[in-house]
Amino acid sequence: MSTTAELLKGAAELFPDEVVTSAHVRHFELPAGAGRFALITLDNGFDHTKPTTFGPQSLANLNTAIDQVEAEAANGEIVGVGVTGKPFIFAVGADLKGVELLKQHSDALAIGKGGHDVFKRLSALAVPTFAYYNGAAMGGGVEVGLHCTYRTVSKALPAFSLPEVFLGLVPGWGGCTILPNLIGAEKAVTVIIENSLNQNRQLKGKQVFELGIADAIFEGADFLEQSLIWTASVLNGSVTVERPEIDRGEGWDQAVAKGRFIADSKVHGAAPAAYRALDIIEASKDGDLQKGFDAEDQALADLIMGGELRSGIYAFNLVQKRGKRPAGAPDKSLARPVTKVGVVGAGLMASQLALLFLRRLEVPVVLTDIDQERVDKGVGYVHAEIEKLLGKGRINQDKANRLKGLVSGVLDKAAGFADADFIIEAVFEEMSVKQKVFAEVEAVAPAHAILATNTSSLSVSEMASKLQHPERVVGFHFFNPVAILPLLEIVRGEQTDDASLATAFGVAKKLKKTAVLTKDAPAFVVNRILTRFMGEIQNVIDEGTSVETAEKAIEPLGLPMSPLVLLELVGPAIGLHVSETLNRAFPERFTVSPNLAAVVKAGKRGFYVYSAENDFKPELDPEVAALLVQGDVVLTEEQVRDRVLDAVAQEIGLMLEEGVVAEAQDIDLCLITGAGWPFHLGGITPYLDREGVSQRVNGKPFLAQGVASVPA
């Protein structure tokens, strides 16, 4: 039987590039004469921008520190042991770069077992142990604290979570087992399943305390000092920590059932992690921790060797790394400063853009439109949203006043845009309208100003073709809702120069958006893929398959919403317009559904109606059902799914051949950040590879072995 040290040594050899975390032990006397105390500080030697993680060598270092304090505790030299982190960071869990390298189930099992063997030594010491959550704590960082006897948390702690299920893992170093036994199954299911599947929702310090994960909460400024005073009070008996009794009966079972319902609604059985976590929570009801730890080891090893986790890590890396260093962006030194922004249009989209530019750039923003009423409405929207931020305490009164003072509206473009550096249009999606607007703007804007279009599908080159300076026109396509979806497709027209493009990328970074460079091709990336995807759904409905079957066929992908609910969100008229644009460009692949056209003509906002009697679940609108004209070709769910996935794989293959984006990775980044496609699909191309669709349709996978899969 291998010792923990041997297990970790073997694992460390597989991962030579680990950023190693040290575990420093220091001693001091606690206040109020409570005795000599050992404090272990987790620190990787970098500042807070490189958070502390646990790879095999890091776990080995913590193991060595525990060797020391274990001996001191056994000899009566110390009265307690604490664990804390470096400034702003407690620890953020397992080092995923190491997980990516694992090729064998046995190696994956060793990582799970190694973490457990080290962490559980904290609860086995001869003296009480304390975790001081001083900063960001995630995954294994949360779990090392769960193994301690007591926990305190900083009010300033910005992010606390068990994000494993979101990535395709389970909290496998004690989280699934200890947390429900500490705070009850219902709260544990919220933290482990619900928060994870809601785009990895984070807890703040106050919530960590209110959930009962931490026993005490202190201000950030003197957090460690106050935690040590509290520790002394616990050790000398003047403070007693009382925890509520756990419902190990029906309440536990109901919590697990609720977790399964949440998992079904989010991933529809398509990704195994949530279900494995719930199985462990269910089995932990009797409080047998070791049995739970063994189950966590197995689940961790199985999932590490599975495609969903590799897709999840791939997706995580796309968002965290590629999203911050866009492929093909020109040198940032070419970017020009932006000190004033103009917005053409004052409708909802334009107003959302004005608010975003105002909040992120904090420069004057001026809106224009065709009449005063629209201009006033646009400025009024921005003012109202600033008031909401003030009401929620997100900004103070001074900032609210300053932001309101920076936004204005005028009818005269010459007065509004004469000194603007960046002007974006968000007017009606019609080429002649856009060209007319740009001609008017070019006549009054300074020579250096960028002219940006928020078009979702029209040609940027054609839009710029009648201007004197087409080189300064860029596509700047946001996704709705602008404040929430991170993606920004930056489109290079045929004449766009590097300085204009660099300025656009510079602005995108200040807007805190994930920018992806795309060629000026019809509908760019997200709308082209979604229109092909939706078009195939429409086709099978038009041919004769029921709406219900067509929708259910896509459920196993675990998308954020069904295709027809998405159509409702986008608006059927916009969906129809984009399909018409793409049909003109690629008539052999993109159809215009007569049924969708009929729905738009009838003024319907979608295919569904919602009622309280049916718990607001979508039901086919009888008026829409009456409009549908269908053929007699009825497909099964599997046939529909194959057809839709084949269409998507074909379209992505063609887009890559055309050079719409640099690589398949950019397609995935766009779908994750612009359409909310799940991490467990890796966007889409890893899933198409995993299911054999890429090979079937294009004769080859999109990604090399090991990029979003287990290395060969």
Side-chain angles (χ1 to χ4, degrees), residues 439-460:
E440 290 169 2
V441 171
E442 188 180 47
V444 298
H448 70 272
I450 304 298
L451 308 185
T453 168
N454 184 44
T455 183
S456 58
S457 61
L458 300 176
S459 166
V460 174

Side-chain angles (χ1 to χ4, degrees), residues 150-162:
Y150 304 100
R151 285 154 294 282
T152 67
V153 68
S154 166
K155 270 186 193 169
L157 182 144
F160 182 104
S161 63
L162 289 169

Side-chain angles (χ1 to χ4, degrees), residues 513-589:
K513 292 294 179 187
T514 299
V516 173
L517 178 62
T518 152
K519 184 179 165 185
D520 186 19
F524 317 125
V525 179
V526 173
N527 283 341
R528 179 163 165 185
I529 293 169
L530 289 186
T531 304
R532 185 79 198 273
F533 173 80
M534 304 281 281
E536 216 50 55
I537 295 278
Q538 293 284 352
N539 289 344
V540 300
I541 293 170
D542 293 353
E543 290 164 19
T545 300
S546 73
V547 168
E548 186 185 5
T549 301
E551 289 268 82
K552 279 195 72 147
I554 305 305
E555 278 188 2
L557 274 72
L559 299 179
M561 60 189 76
S562 76
L564 293 182
V565 172
L566 174 64
L567 182 69
E568 205 168 284
L569 183 74
V570 170
I574 293 173
L576 180 65
H577 176 76
V578 177
S579 68
E580 287 168 344
T581 302
L582 282 158
N583 171 254
R584 284 193 294 274
F586 310 114
E588 69 288 358
R589 299 194 310 280

